[in-house]
Amino acid sequence: MIEGTRSLDAMKLARAGYLCGSGSGGWQWSYQDGSTASIGISRGRDAINLKYRFQSNGGEWQSVEQCVPIRWTPCRFGGERPWFICGVHCNGVYCGRQVTKIYGGGKLFACRHCYRLGYQVQRGGPMEQAHHRLRRLHQRLGANYDGPDGLPPPRPKWMRWRTYEQIVRQIQDGEDHLDVVFMAGAQGILARIERSEQRGSKSR
């Protein structure tokens, strides 16, 4: 089982060579206690295939394969960048959102919206603080903060490159911290949902 904070970033996978050519490889997460977890990834430009194991609430291990579509869009100054297309169905409705990151808070990797946990996790505490810090960093670049799943704002003409690069690194660190806080809250909510569903099935 892949535990703790587990997210995949389309830009990081592209830089690591997973979104070009063919073949397969792996991605690894490291945790503060020294443990690690990994996932298999089959390379591809238009989609990647994820292979991993999942265990729900102490049940039996399940082998999971998930295809995640990739969409490429042109960049402002040339080139192109990748986005994940969230291919999960939520309440019978296909998502299809174009996002930078997908999260493994349950059996499948999906965007924040599909877990329907964002608003619950964001209420007060560390989540609000993490968003507030990112909002202030975006304001320093003269931009509105629309959420963590996008590119950093462009450099203001009056700002030195060195200052801009420092702020961009702070934004990236802030988004990594936001992932940690989000997943901690999301997993707690998912665990409560599972326990509630199990109690409901036993009472029938």
Side-chain angles (χ1 to χ4, degrees), residues 3 10 28 34 49 67 72 78 85-87 92 100 110 117 120 136 138 173 178-179 181:
E3 299 176 341
Q28 183 170 282
N49 197 55
C67 180
W72 295 83
I85 302 302
C86 181
T100 301
L117 302 170
Q120 297 181 60
R136 289 179 60 185
H138 279 68
D173 291 343
L178 184 65
D179 284 349
V181 175

Side-chain angles (χ1 to χ4, degrees), residues 5-59:
T5 305
R6 47 179 185 150
S7 64
L8 293 171
D9 185 306
M11 290 296 291
K12 290 182 178 178
L13 290 183
R15 286 194 291 267
Y18 283 91
L19 305 187
C20 61
S22 59
S24 60
W27 194 262
Q28 183 170 282
W29 294 272
S30 299
Y31 305 116
Q32 292 182 350
D33 62 1
S35 62
T36 61
S38 60
I39 185 172
I41 303 177
S42 296
R43 293 179 173 87
R45 176 177 170 82
D46 297 323
I48 56 172
N49 197 55
L50 309 178
K51 294 183 180 182
Y52 54 97
R53 294 199 305 157
F54 174 76
Q55 184 185 41
S56 176
N57 202 30

Side-chain angles (χ1 to χ4, degrees), residues 9 51 71 74 82 87 96 111 114 118 121 132 169 180 199:
D9 185 306
K51 294 183 180 182
R71 179 177 297 159
C111 69
C114 280
V121 174
H132 179 66
R169 283 196 295 270
V180 174
R199 288 195 294 269

